[in-house]
Amino acid sequence: MTYVVLDNCISCKYTDCVEVCPVDCFYEGENWLVIHPDECIDCGVCEPECPAEAIKPDTEPGLEDWIKLNTKYAEIWPNITVKKEPMPGYQDMDGVEGKLKLLSEAPGEGD
Ligand code: SF4
Ligand code: F3S
């Protein structure tokens, strides 16, 4: 079991989640964060910390595609462990439907 990041994180990236993860299993792309399913210990503390409600347990139905995407990008993006400013315009992007089409495959810049 793992937790997964869904598309409402895209173009928001609040990053509150990375501060609370005990095993530092978040990975950062240019405009999305993902969880490495093999590293997540399923503690659940990140889920209520996300202002965008973008983190869910994989016990919820219909998340197969999201688990695949989290796995794919966790393998190629850099680890992120320190909170940073949300993305510019995040207030307008929070809650926008169908944000997967906005996904950039580029890795995050880090700090
Ligand atoms: Fe990290 Fe726990 Fe969230 Fe998994 S459920 S990503 S271990 S905080
Ligand atoms: Fe994304 Fe929520 Fe973390 S918006 S960066 S999953 S706090």
Side-chain angles (χ1 to χ4, degrees), residues 5 8-9 12-17 26 33 49-52 54-55:
V5 185
N8 201 40
C9 173
C12 288
K13 284 210 305 190
Y14 286 97
T15 68
D16 300 64
C17 53
F26 283 90
L33 256 62
E49 295 298 322
C50 176
I55 302 176

Side-chain angles (χ1 to χ4, degrees), residues 45-110:
V45 299
C46 58
E47 182 182 5
E49 295 298 322
C50 176
E53 299 183 4
I55 302 176
K56 298 293 175 198
D58 71 351
T59 47
E60 293 202 2
L63 298 185
E64 292 81 6
D65 288 350
W66 296 107
I67 296 165
K68 283 181 192 162
L69 286 170
N70 275 242
T71 304
K72 172 182 174 180
Y73 291 114
E75 296 286 350
I76 56 180
W77 287 346
N79 193 231
I80 174 171
T81 59
V82 178
K83 180 173 166 56
K84 59 204 278 187
E85 288 297 310
M87 294 190 71
Y90 69 94
Q91 301 99 324
D92 296 330
M93 293 307 296
D94 193 348
V96 170
E97 296 286 323
K99 286 202 272 183
L100 188 57
K101 62 180 181 294
L102 304 175
L103 173 65
S104 166
E105 297 203 352
E109 296 167 10

